[in-house]
Structure formats: C-alpha cells, structure tokens
Amino acid sequence: MESVILWAHAAAGAIWIGACACFAIAGLALGAGSAEQRNFVANAAPKIDMLGLVAAAVLLVTGLISLIEVGVLRGFAFSTTFMTVVAIKIALFIAMLAVMTWSMRVGAVVRAVVARGRTDAMAGAMTRMVKAHVAIVAMGGIALILGAWLLGS
C-alpha cells in the first residue's frame, strides 16, 4: 500500500504541474485579445484549473498519509534536515495553492467581464494568469526534486 500512496502522490504532483504547464503554453501561444484567447479563458482554462485543484487535493491527502506511514516506521523520530525539507514542501504547496486560487479568481472576473461584452482587459489578465501558472510549475518542480530527495533519506 505504501508504494501505491507514493506513486499516487508523485502522479498527482506531475498532473498538477503538467496542467499548469499546458495552461501556460496555451496562454503564450494565443494572440492577445483574440477570439481564441477568449474561448480559452471561457472554456478550457476552468477545466485545466479544476484538474490542477483535484490533483492538489490528491497530493495533500497522499502526502499526509505518506508522512504518517514514514513517521510510524521511524517512530516519529525525524532528522532536522528531513523536517526542513518537509516544511519547505508544505510551504511550496501552500504558495502554489494560493497562486492557483488567485489565478482562478482572475479568470472568473475575466469571464464575467467578457460575458458583458468587454474585452479590453483580456490581454493583461491572461498575462497575469500565465505568469501565475509558470510560477506554479517552477515551485512544483522544486517540490518534486525535494520529494525525490526525501525518498532517499
């Protein structure tokens, strides 16, 4: 069961990072203020973000289960380095989640504004959303590397 939890945790992290990378790539490929960009924000972006949030939830649950399993095996006697790495991973998770929810709020505002026929703020909002997703990819990459280190400790 330990391996299943570990692989689910790693897969959830990869899915979240992958979804954010796809969002960023698509956002960069679409012309600023174009009909394609409006369609992306209205239709695809919420689905990509929801996939990321579901992956984040799985990541949280499997991470907690994995930490408890490791704690039981070690009698909850963790090294300072181990706990520092876990704390960094938790901080990264919280930051990634905060950035994701902020970006989703920006997207919701953009969709509401576009529904009223205004498109003048679309390009700036899309730029902010793309930067948010790139930041999530960067933080998630660091978290994955730290997770690989934890496996060896």
Side-chain angles (χ1 to χ4, degrees), residues 6 9 82 85 89 140-153:
L6 184 61
H9 185 72
F82 183 92
V85 171
K89 284 180 58 91
I142 293 167
L144 282 173
I145 290 167
L146 291 173
W149 181 86
L150 285 175
L151 280 175
S153 66

Side-chain angles (χ1 to χ4, degrees), residues 53-110:
L53 282 181
V54 169
V58 171
L59 192 67
L60 176 64
V61 170
T62 56
L64 289 172
I65 292 170
S66 187
L67 186 58
I68 291 167
E69 286 178 342
V70 170
V72 168
L73 287 172
R74 296 181 180 188
F76 292 94
F78 299 117
S79 70
T80 303
T81 305
F82 183 92
M83 289 309 297
T84 301
V85 171
V86 169
I88 293 168
K89 284 180 58 91
I90 291 169
L92 286 168
F93 178 83
I94 291 168
M96 290 167 65
L97 201 54
V99 170
M100 177 70 100
T101 56
W102 173 82
S103 178
M104 291 175 75
R105 279 184 286 184
V106 170
V109 169
V110 169

Side-chain angles (χ1 to χ4, degrees), residues 33 38 113-114 117-125:
R38 283 191 302 278
V113 169
V114 168
R118 278 192 50 218
T119 59
D120 54 329
M122 171 69 82

